[in-house]
Amino acid sequence: MTHIETNHPDEWDVRYASAERVWSGDPNGALVAEVSDLPPGRVLDVGCGEGADAVWLASRGWTVTAIDVSAVALGRAAQHARDAGADVTWVCTGLVEADLPAGGFDLVSAQYPALLRSPGLDAERALVRAVALGGELLVVHHEVLTDEAHAHGFDPSMFVMPADVAALLDDDWRVLVDERRDRTVAGGAGAHHAHDLVLRARRLR
């Protein structure tokens, strides 16, 4: 499940419309590993794609707000939720443009986000700002090899990585996980990536 923050949502609509299903349909492994033991609360799923993470969270009792710039993806996600009997609030927006309450979420999850870098660190600050006191931030991305990415016409330096978010975390935060991790996915786009970069942190004050 990939995840989207771009100035060109139409491009993502075209991508989703080009296939019956883009992602595996399963919740992301890092999310399951890091969140399964947390008590449910309010969660923001950033760049929810076809909704597998949001539906999984809702099934475990979380109150889920899921955002994505692609209306096509959200339509597919909403159908997934209906089929699963899950209650999710779907919002068609990018992270930076979203009118999110400061400290409004007990968990902010960004799984493989395509968040554009900016001089003002807008995306990174939006992620951090949304986490409630005592809440957690989980940012996961593929480990991207620069030469390989450039060979496929992708410039990883344009996008926010977990390390960029970690650089904003001060003494008000406790970093719980900051590591490179093996990744196994059964199918869907992104299955070829072998490793994840995982950042998990808790807001202390």
Side-chain angles (χ1 to χ4, degrees):
M1 180 173 316
T2 240
H3 304 317
I4 303 160
E5 173 74 18
T6 171
N7 292 326
H8 304 287
D10 289 348
E11 295 177 6
W12 288 100
D13 282 342
V14 169
R15 179 175 184 182
Y16 279 107
S18 68
E20 184 175 344
R21 190 175 72 182
V22 174
W23 312 113
S24 70
D26 299 320
N28 284 300
L31 176 73
V32 173
E34 298 299 329
V35 173
S36 289
D37 292 335
L38 290 180
R42 303 156 298 168
V43 57
L44 176 68
D45 182 5
V46 177
C48 63
E50 292 165 322
D53 284 356
V55 169
W56 180 82
L57 287 159
S59 73
R60 299 181 66 84
W62 290 84
T63 300
V64 184
T65 299
I67 66 174
D68 201 291
V69 298
S70 172
V72 174
L74 288 176
R76 200 167 290 172
Q79 183 61 56
H80 183 184
R82 286 191 292 271
D83 292 344
D87 184 13
V88 176
T89 298
W90 308 101
V91 184
C92 191
T93 183
L95 172 64
V96 172
E97 296 80 19
D99 184 18
L100 299 171
F105 300 94
D106 303 299
L107 172 66
V108 173
S109 172
Q111 303 289 311
Y112 315 104
L115 297 168
L116 292 173
R117 287 186 175 178
S118 67
L121 308 178
D122 297 320
E124 297 96 310
R125 294 186 188 282
L127 289 171
V128 170
R129 187 169 54 245
V131 181
L133 179 65
E136 297 198 6
L137 173 63
L138 178 62
V139 182
V140 181
H141 220 297
H142 304 301
E143 181 185 47
V144 180
L145 301 179
T146 301
D147 290 345
E148 180 181 340
H150 285 164
H152 289 85
F154 171 73
D155 183 359
S157 69
M158 293 176 59
F159 297 94
V160 173
M161 299 298 285
D164 300 311
V165 180
L168 282 184
L169 304 181
D170 55 20
D171 291 342
D172 291 344
W173 292 81
R174 175 181 298 150
V175 175
L176 305 175
V177 178
D178 187 4
E179 67 183 29
R180 177 181 181 266
R181 182 180 299 177
D182 291 344
R183 177 176 188 267
T184 302
V185 178
H192 61 285
H193 290 282
H195 299 96
D196 281 341
L197 305 174
V198 180
L199 172 67
R200 178 181 171 190
R202 179 177 300 137
R203 183 185 287 279
L204 303 177
R205 54 185 179 267

